[in-house]
Structures are given as structure tokens and as C-alpha cells.
Amino acid sequence: MARPHLMIFLVSVLLGHSCIVALVASPSNFTDLSALLAFKARITVDPDNILADNWTTKSSFCNWIGVFCSRHRQRVTSMNLSHMGIHGTIEPRLSNLSFLVSLDLRNNSFHGYLPNSLGQLRRLRQLYMGENQLEGMIPPSLSQCLELQVIALELNKFSRYVPRELSILPKLRILLLSNNSLIGPIPPSLGNLSMLENLVLSNNNLGGSIPEELGSLHNLQQLTLVNNQLEGSLPSTIFNISKLQLIHLSMNSLSGSLPTDIGYRLPNLKGLYLGGNQLSGHIPSSLCRCGKLSHLVLSANNFIGSVPREIGSLSNLEEVYITRNSLSGTIPPSLGNISKLKVMDFSENDLVGNIPEEVGRLLNLQTLFLGKNHLSGTIPKAILNISALQRIALSFNNLSGCVPMSTGSGLPNLEELYLGENQLRGSIPLSVSNVSMLSIVDLHSNYFDGPVPTSLGNLPHLQYLQLEDNQLTNQPDTHELSFITSLTNCRLLKLLVIGNNPLKGNLPDSIGNLSTSLEVFAGAGNQITGSIPKGIGNLSNLFSLYLGTNDIAGAIPSSIRGLEKLQRLYVGDNKIHGSIPDDLCSLTQLGELSLSQNKLSGSIPNCIGNLSQLKILHLGSNLFTSLIPLTLWSLTDLSFLNLSHNSLRGHLPGKVENLDVFEGMDLSWNQLSGDIPSMVGDLQRLRYLNLSRNSLQGPLPQSFGNLISMEFLDLSFNNLSGYKEKFRIGGLSQNSQLNLSWGMKHFVGWPN
């Protein structure tokens, strides 16, 4: 009874063995195996050893990671090695995978060329090669893959042209070629791709106009051509594609106007991005008929006229950017109806009138930018109660009145507040200090008065604080600027600008406890008294220090050497005395130094030549009595030098080399003597030269004829003599300022 079952078992084993032998021996399977092994051989980096450990002949290639086969024939139909960090080149013999339907190698580091032989993959439907380093031309042979539905080659280094041969692919739905280096025009023949849904050619160097033929792509849903060099007007035909959901043409040089009936032709439009072009005319009111529109970007164009009053009917609008145009009129109150609105940027236009109270109804609003317009009136209180707001920018308008004292109580998520360059009055609301997320507070150039709140130190995320050009004061009955001490709690502070306020107080030594992240401290014109505190040397990341036009006395502290990254130091127009400490010469990053209009005395230190990056040096109107150190003339980047109104003596150097960028020099009102060296005439960029009120003598160097850039020249009140022959001084014209009197003998100025 068991024999029939045994017979069946033996037959099954024999048949199975025969199938295995047939499979191994099948030439087509051997072809696939050879192609895969050849591909593996070109891999140079396999960070997870996936191919090294898994792609071996110990198992069927149909079981290899990333390889998928057909069930019956066991032929490779799909290959997906995306996001594996693989390096290498593309093996041309992949074209032998004749049953391949999908090839996905995106987000690796493949380099070299895409093989022409891929055009032999007649069954290929999907080709994903994005986010690699492939270069060269996109193979026109891909046009032979008539089953192709997706070509995704974005984020590579492909160059040359978009192959017009791709236009014959009858089933192509997605053509993604963005972020390459493609040049030339967009092939008009792409309009033949009747099944195309997504055309993405952004971030290339494509030129010419947008082909009218693209209007034939009736199935197109996404047209993205952003950041190319396209020009000409927008073809009216593309606005007839009723299925379009996204039009992204920003950052080109497109011109012309939008069709007046645009909103009637694009019922499915969700995103319209046209920023950074040269479009003009009015914003069509019909655009407000695009009921599905969620993103509208028309910024950085030349649109005129008013914002359409009907904009409030765009109930799905989430973001609107119309900044940097020439729009006029008022802000439509109907905006208050767009309950989904998150971003509203109307800045840098010519809008007038008040900010509508209705804007306060936008409870989902996160960004409100209305700066650089001509808006007037007060800031609506309702806006300052939109709890979702993260950024408010109303600077550079004519807004007036007081900022409500409750500001801050209703803005728990506010991160940036820009109210500068208005006509706002009153004190800074203490409630601002309760907005714990604030990182930027800009209230500059208003009429704010009263003490700077010490409670600002309660803002743990504060990075930028700009309070300059107001009427702010120090806390009453205190000699030190106490708010600076409170700001030492703001450990992220990078910029502190308080200039041109009547603060009237001393800088506390606690200034050295400010954030080590502080890069800019600007306190010019604050009526600051006392001396520069020693603690200032702790600000090791400071780039710029402005303390000019105050009443600061005392000496420059030696601790200043701690400002190792300082690039700009302006402490002119004070009462600082003593000498320039050698410690200052250790600030080797210094590019601009102004100590003018103080009471500094002694000599200009020789070590000033260590400031090799110095471009601007102002030491005028002090009490220096030394020679001009020769090391100063070794500063090859120096472009402006002012040593005027001192008692410097000695001669100018006879030879100076490498002052190629020198543009201005004022040595007037000193006690310099000797001849004017001929080297001055070699400074061909020199535009301003004032050597007046010295004791210079001798003839004017003939090399002055080389001063081709000269605009101002004053050599008066010296003992100079001229030449009998006439010659022109470089670039001096009849409109230039020239003073050669009082001490110029026999000098002939302008030729007849």
C-alpha cells in the first residue's frame, strides 16, 4: 500500500531536481546573475557591507537584498538600493536585465555617466537616480524605453541639454530633472507628452522662454521651473490646463502680466509661486476665484495697483507673499475672513492707511510682515492677542501711539518682534519680558522713553536687542546702567544695540558677564560716563564694539587684549587719556580702529604694524607727539588713514610698497617736515589727500600726475614750491576740491 506514495515522492524529487538544474543552467538567469555581479564589482564603498555579505552566489540572486524577481521565470524585475550610502559607477551591463521594470538607486553617491545602454531596458517603467553625483548628458537613448512612466534624475550634476528625444515617451507621467546643471531652452516637443503629470526642471541654467506647447499637457498637475534663466512673458496656454495644482516659476526673469481671467481657468490650483521675476501689471481680482489656493507667492516683482478686495474669499489660503512690489492702496479688511491664514507678508510696498482691526481675527496667523510701507495709525490691540503669532514685523512705517501695556500677555509663542523706524511713543511694556520665546526685539528709531526694563533679562532665548535712536533712560537713582547687568542672564545674546539714547550712566564691570556669544555691542551717543570697565575683555567673541560720542574717560584697559576676535573698535569722541597700550596690538583681527577726538598722548606704538588686517585707522584730534612709526606703512590692507590734529613730527617715508588699496590720507594740522615723497604719486587709488597745516617744503612731486583717482587735495599752509611747467594732477577735474594756497610758490594748477 505504501509503494504508490513512495513512487509519487520519488517522482516529485526528481522533477524538482530537474527544475533546479534547468534554472541554474538557464542562459537568461545566468545573464541576470552576470549583470548583477558586474554591478557589484563597480561598487567602491559599501558602508554596511550589504552587497559584500549578501550578494554572493551562495544564494539565489532573487534572495539578495534590493533585488526582486518574477515568480515564475525568476528574472530580475526590480532593483532598489536607495538610501544605502553606496559609492561607485553605474554598470552598463544592467541593460542585460531585460525584464527590469523599476530601477531605484537614489540617494547614494554614484558618479560618472549614466550608461546609454539603459535604453535597451524595453520593460523599464521607473528610473530613480536622484541625489547622486552623476554627470554628463542625460542619455537620449532613454527614449527607447517606451514603457517609462517615471524619470527622476534630480540632485545630480547632469549638464548639456534636456534631450528632446524624451518627448516620444507615450506613457511618461513624471519628469524630474531639478538641481542639475542643464542648459539651453526647454524643448517645445515636451508638449507631446500627453500623459505627463509632473514636470520639474527647477534649479538649472535653462534659458529662453517657456514654450507655448506646454499648454498641450492637459494632464499636467505640477509645473516647476523655479530658479533658471527663463525670460519672456508667461505663455497664456499654460493657464488653460485645468488640472494644474502647482505652478512654480519663481526666480527667473519672466515679464509681462497675468491674465485677467486666470482664476476662471485654474479651478484646481493650490499653489502659485511667481516670486523673483519681472512681472508687472495688476494682481487680477479673478485670482480670488481659485478656491483651492493655499499658497500665493508674488513677491519681488513689479506689480502695481491695489491688493484685490476679494482676497478674503480665498478660504483655503494659508500663506500669501506679495512683498517687494509697488502695490498701493490699503490692506483689504476682508483678509480677516481667511481663518486658515498662517503667513501674511505684504512688506516693502507702498501701502497706506491703517492696519485693519479685522487682521486680529486671524487666530492661526504665525507670521505678520507689513514692514517698509506707509502705514499709519496705531497697532490694533487684537493683533497682539493672536496667540499663534511667532513673528511680527511692522518696521519702517508711520505707526504711532503707544504699544499696549498688555503686549506680551497674549503672545506666548512670539519669537521675533520688529517695530523699528516708526513714531511709537511711551515706555517699553514690561509684559514683553513675559514672552519667554522671544529671540529678537527691535524697537529702534522711535520715541520710546522711560527706563530700559531690567526685566528684559528674563528672556532666556534673547539673541538680538535693538533699542537705538529713542529717548530711553537708565533706571532712576542709579549710576551704573543696571539693565546691562540684568542682560547677563540672556546667555544667547549676540547683538546689543542701544546707541543714541540719553542713558547717562557708567558701564558696569558686569558687562564682562554678558553672553560669550555676544558679537556686537553698540553704545555710541548714550552719554555714558566713567571708564571702559576691565571686564569688557571677557567678551571673547565680540566682533564689533561701538562706544563713540560719549563722556567716557580714563585709560584704555589692558584687558582689551581679551577681545581676540574684535574686527571693529570705535571709541572716538570721548575723553579717554593716556597712551595706546601695546595690548591693543594683539587684536590681530582688527580691521577698523577709531580712537579719534580723545586726549590720548605719547607715541603711536610701533606694534601697530602687527594689525595686519587693518583697513581703517582714525587717530586724529588727540595729543600724539611722536614720529609716525614706519611699521604703519607696512599695513598693506590700509585704505583710510587719519592722523590729523596732533603734534606728529618727522618726515614722510621716502618709499612705501604694497599700499595698493590706499584711498584716503589726512595728516593735516601736525608738525611734519621735509619733502613730499614721490611715492605718494604711486598711490593710484588715492581719492583724498590732506597734508595742510604742516611744515612740508620742496617741490611738488611730478609723480602727482599719476593720481588718477584724486577727488580732494589740500596742501595749503606749507612751504611747497611748484614747477614752472604746467601739469595736471591725476584725476582732478574742475569739480574736484583743490587747495594749494598759502605756501605754494610758482605752482600752476589747471591747464588752460
Side-chain angles (χ1 to χ4, degrees), residues 445-483:
S445 302
N446 279 286
Y447 297 100
F448 288 112
D449 56 24
V452 179
T454 56
S455 58
L456 291 175
N458 298 332
L459 298 173
H461 299 285
L462 189 64
Q463 297 184 41
Y464 301 92
L465 179 60
Q466 292 186 251
L467 304 176
E468 75 270 24
D469 296 314
N470 280 288
Q471 300 296 320
L472 297 168
T473 61
N474 190 24
Q475 295 290 330
D477 303 323
T478 57
H479 295 293
E480 290 188 338
L481 301 181
S482 54
F483 72 90

Side-chain angles (χ1 to χ4, degrees), residues 36 87 178 200 219 297 346 454 499 508 515 519 618 625 652 733 751:
L36 293 172
H87 294 223
S178 59
V200 183
N219 288 298
V297 180
F346 287 12
T454 56
S515 166
E519 298 175 356
H618 291 300
T625 56
L652 294 175
S733 65

Side-chain angles (χ1 to χ4, degrees), residues 61-221:
F61 59 76
C62 292
N63 295 325
W64 291 357
I65 292 175
V67 177
F68 304 89
C69 296
S70 58
R71 180 176 301 177
H72 299 296
R73 296 190 181 187
Q74 294 291 287
R75 300 297 303 277
V76 177
T77 58
S78 178
M79 187 172 164
N80 187 343
L81 297 176
S82 61
H83 308 280
M84 290 188 178
I86 297 172
H87 294 223
T89 57
I90 307 296
E91 168 57 47
R93 278 177 284 180
L94 283 180
S95 61
N96 292 335
L97 300 175
S98 56
F99 279 76
L100 196 65
V101 173
S102 177
L103 178 59
D104 190 347
L105 302 179
R106 60 187 149 180
N107 195 17
N108 285 293
S109 294
F110 286 103
H111 59 277
Y113 301 102
L114 197 61
N116 279 313
S117 59
L118 294 184
Q120 300 172 24
L121 296 171
R122 299 294 191 268
R123 292 179 172 87
L124 192 64
R125 297 178 186 174
Q126 299 172 343
L127 178 62
Y128 294 100
M129 292 285 184
E131 299 178 72
N132 282 288
Q133 299 175 27
L134 298 169
E135 57 185 297
M137 187 175 184
I138 297 171
S141 61
L142 291 177
S143 62
Q144 300 170 24
C145 305
L146 298 180
E147 297 295 322
L148 263 176
Q149 298 178 18
V150 177
I151 298 178
L153 306 179
E154 77 283 5
L155 289 161
N156 278 287
K157 299 178 180 179
F158 289 112
S159 56
R160 300 186 68 182
Y161 305 101
V162 177
R164 63 177 183 271
E165 290 84 354
L166 300 181
S167 305
I168 67 172
L169 294 171
K171 299 181 180 181
L172 195 64
R173 294 186 298 104
I174 297 174
L175 181 58
L176 180 53
L177 306 179
S178 59
N179 295 86
N180 282 287
S181 299
L182 300 172
I183 61 173
I186 299 172
S189 58
L190 291 182
N192 297 330
L193 298 170
S194 59
M195 301 298 293
L196 199 65
E197 297 175 0
N198 293 345
L199 176 59
V200 183
L201 306 177
S202 56
N203 297 308
N204 281 288
N205 298 308
L206 300 173
S209 59
I210 300 174
E212 293 273 352
E213 289 81 355
L214 295 187
S216 301
L217 301 174
H218 298 302
N219 288 298
L220 197 65
Q221 298 176 22

Side-chain angles (χ1 to χ4, degrees), residues 482-538:
S482 54
F483 72 90
I484 290 181
T485 301
S486 72
L487 290 174
T488 60
N489 296 321
C490 304
R491 304 314 302 167
L492 302 177
L493 193 63
K494 292 184 178 180
L495 181 142
L496 177 56
V497 182
I498 56 176
N500 295 321
N501 283 288
L503 296 176
K504 296 182 181 179
N506 297 352
L507 289 174
D509 199 54
S510 61
I511 193 173
N513 297 327
L514 287 170
S515 166
T516 54
S517 300
L518 193 67
E519 298 175 356
V520 177
F521 183 95
N526 287 133
Q527 302 178 31
I528 295 174
T529 55
S531 59
I532 299 174
K534 295 180 180 178
I536 204 164
N538 295 335

Side-chain angles (χ1 to χ4, degrees), residues 7 144 633:
M7 290 288 291
Q144 300 170 24
W633 306 108

Side-chain angles (χ1 to χ4, degrees), residues 287-305:
L287 192 59
C288 303
R289 296 272 183 170
C290 297
K292 296 182 181 180
L293 195 65
S294 62
H295 291 76
L296 176 60
V297 180
L298 303 177
S299 51
N301 278 288
N302 300 312
F303 288 112
I304 60 173

Side-chain angles (χ1 to χ4, degrees), residues 309-351:
R309 293 175 299 172
E310 302 87 348
I311 194 170
S313 63
L314 294 173
S315 58
N316 287 299
L317 196 62
E318 297 181 12
E319 297 184 6
V320 54
Y321 299 87
I322 56 174
T323 179
R324 295 172 60 192
N325 281 286
S326 299
L327 297 170
S328 56
T330 59
I331 298 174
S334 66
L335 280 163
N337 299 329
I338 310 175
S339 60
K340 295 182 180 180
L341 198 62
K342 295 179 181 178
V343 177
M344 175 179 168
D345 188 353
F346 287 12
S347 60
E348 297 188 55
N349 280 286
D350 296 314
L351 300 173

